[in-house]
Amino acid sequence: MASDGATYDSNETGSWLVCTACGTQFPTSDREKTKTCFICDDPRQFTPQTGQAFTTLNEIRSRAKNTWTPFKGDSRFISIVTEPKVGIGQRAILIKTPKGNVLWDCITLLDEETIAKIRGLGGLKAIVISHPHYYTTHVEWAKAFDCPVYLAKEDKEWTTQSSAHQVFVEDTELDIKIDGEPSGVKALKLGGHFPGSFVALYDEHLLIADTLVSTPSGLGSWDTDAVGVARTRPKGMNSYSFMWSIPNMIPLRPSELERMWGILKKYDFSSTHGAFLGADIVKTVPEMKQRVLESMQIQIRYMGYDEHAFLNETVG
């Protein structure tokens, strides 16, 4: 499908259909023309037990609003989440750099209040989206802020609209530039969940979306016991899982984890920030990299590959 409009027009697009399950916008108001969501029909996603349904941006705007939560201890990052939940319920993350603002991932709800809030913070210079489940209304956002939106070329087939604002990235590693100069934000194409799944890195903060899935044992705290005595984290616990399908619980194969690690191990990061509020792990560079590697090795071992060579890999 294609979208011909070059500028943002909320009146034109407010009645276009939005999948209630994943939040993806389709460029039509005709419910006879679009009856299913091909993103939710993919085995990585699902259609709810209640069946396929569509809403519109106008309907969402009438009942929901976006909330703003700065990262604890670092106000350069602001999580944007829609309440009540729309679609999958992920967050977008506004990254404030000296060169300008970059938006990591996208959410469906774009309204005048959100546009005014972001413009008050300096607008947007670029948008980077991790994978197709979060494509949502990215063309709307790109038009509203007249900025490029970076998507993986491998995942182009999952777009429902075409736009001159879309930039399909072929490279594995991309420095996001603003007015021709590096912003400091780097997009790393790790693949896995989707062939082009990205993570983003800025000043040792690794924004992971669903490319790495933060687990309860990764988010849990073992710093002290019930009476306040210091303790260490028990051995053998993972911090992340690596999934082809998160909701349908289909893991990635060992060779894919090995390939992903080959890209990620070159970079230092002291925290990870997942797709949802509260999915933040903040430690040190050595511990974070060790946690990622150990999580990959735990997954490989418990999939039955006890002799896999990757089990001997070290952070090094």
Side-chain angles (χ1 to χ4, degrees):
M1 299 182 185
S3 175
D4 296 326
T7 57
Y8 177 67
D9 185 348
S10 62
N11 293 323
E12 176 192 5
T13 60
S15 63
W16 285 1
L17 300 181
V18 172
C19 173
T20 58
C22 70
T24 298
Q25 183 185 55
F26 291 79
T28 179
S29 304
D30 189 346
R31 293 176 185 264
E32 292 300 316
K33 182 177 179 181
T34 299
K35 299 180 180 180
T36 62
C37 173
F38 64 85
I39 291 178
C40 290
D41 285 345
D42 177 72
R44 276 164 286 217
Q45 182 53 11
F46 66 95
T47 297
Q49 291 181 338
T50 51
Q52 179 67 65
F54 290 99
T55 183
T56 67
L57 261 179
N58 285 340
E59 291 174 1
I60 295 169
R61 287 167 179 152
S62 71
R63 61 176 174 80
K65 66 178 297 181
N66 290 330
T67 62
W68 305 73
T69 307
F71 279 15
K72 185 177 180 180
D74 197 334
S75 60
R76 296 175 301 169
F77 298 82
I78 303 174
S79 299
I80 311 172
V81 175
T82 305
E83 296 291 348
K85 186 181 83 168
V86 171
I88 294 170
Q90 77 277 2
R91 61 178 165 180
I93 298 174
L94 183 73
I95 309 168
K96 296 189 285 186
T97 84
K99 299 296 183 183
N101 298 329
V102 177
L103 189 71
W104 167 248
D105 270 334
C106 201
I107 54 178
T108 301
L109 176 56
L110 180 65
D111 56 12
E112 293 305 317
E113 182 178 343
T114 301
I115 292 172
K117 174 82 171 180
I118 293 178
R119 285 179 177 164
L121 293 170
L124 290 181
K125 295 295 186 179
I127 301 170
V128 186
I129 305 184
S130 61
H131 70 292
H133 290 161
Y134 299 160
Y135 282 178
T136 60
T137 58
H138 71 269
V139 172
E140 296 281 295
W141 286 76
K143 289 180 179 179
F145 295 101
D146 192 23
C147 69
V149 54
Y150 293 94
L151 314 168
K153 183 177 181 181
E154 292 89 337
D155 299 334
K156 184 176 181 179
E157 65 181 293
W158 300 105
T159 57
T160 62
Q161 303 180 52
S162 63
S163 169
H165 293 279
Q166 293 167 327
V167 179
F168 292 97
V169 179
E170 297 186 44
D171 297 336
T172 301
E173 305 166 14
L174 176 70
D175 291 313
I176 303 301
K177 293 185 177 180
I178 295 176
D179 298 327
E181 298 185 11
S183 66
V185 178
K186 188 181 294 289
L188 308 176
K189 190 186 293 178
L190 300 189
H193 181 35
F194 275 80
S197 285
F198 283 124
V199 297
L201 181 64
Y202 181 66
D203 195 20
E204 293 190 356
H205 293 69
L206 190 68
L207 312 184
I208 60 176
D210 287 341
T211 308
L212 287 68
V213 182
S214 307
T215 65
S217 63
L219 298 170
S221 175
W222 284 268
D223 294 337
T224 60
D225 64 16
V227 294
V229 177
R231 60 181 297 206
T232 57
R233 189 169 184 260
K235 294 182 179 180
M237 292 190 170
N238 77 350
S239 297
Y240 309 96
S241 61
F242 308 87
M243 309 296 285
W244 185 75
S245 170
I246 291 92
N248 299 317
M249 303 181 193
I250 305 172
L252 291 170
R253 61 187 179 271
S255 60
E256 189 70 1
L257 302 189
E258 190 172 17
R259 190 194 59 76
M260 292 168 69
W261 174 251
I263 300 168
L264 189 57
K265 70 179 182 180
K266 296 181 288 184
Y267 298 93
D268 289 338
F269 49 95
S270 57
S271 64
T272 61
H273 307 271
F276 304 97
L277 276 178
D280 305 291
I281 304 175
V282 182
K283 299 295 178 182
T284 63
V285 170
E287 180 174 348
M288 292 306 302
K289 295 184 78 170
Q290 188 65 36
R291 282 197 182 201
V292 171
L293 177 58
E294 286 182 352
S295 296
M296 289 180 166
Q297 291 171 332
I298 288 169
Q299 181 163 321
I300 289 171
R301 184 177 297 112
Y302 282 96
M303 289 174 68
Y305 296 89
D306 295 323
E307 305 299 323
H308 199 285
F310 188 66
L311 299 180
N312 298 317
E313 177 78 4
T314 62
V315 171

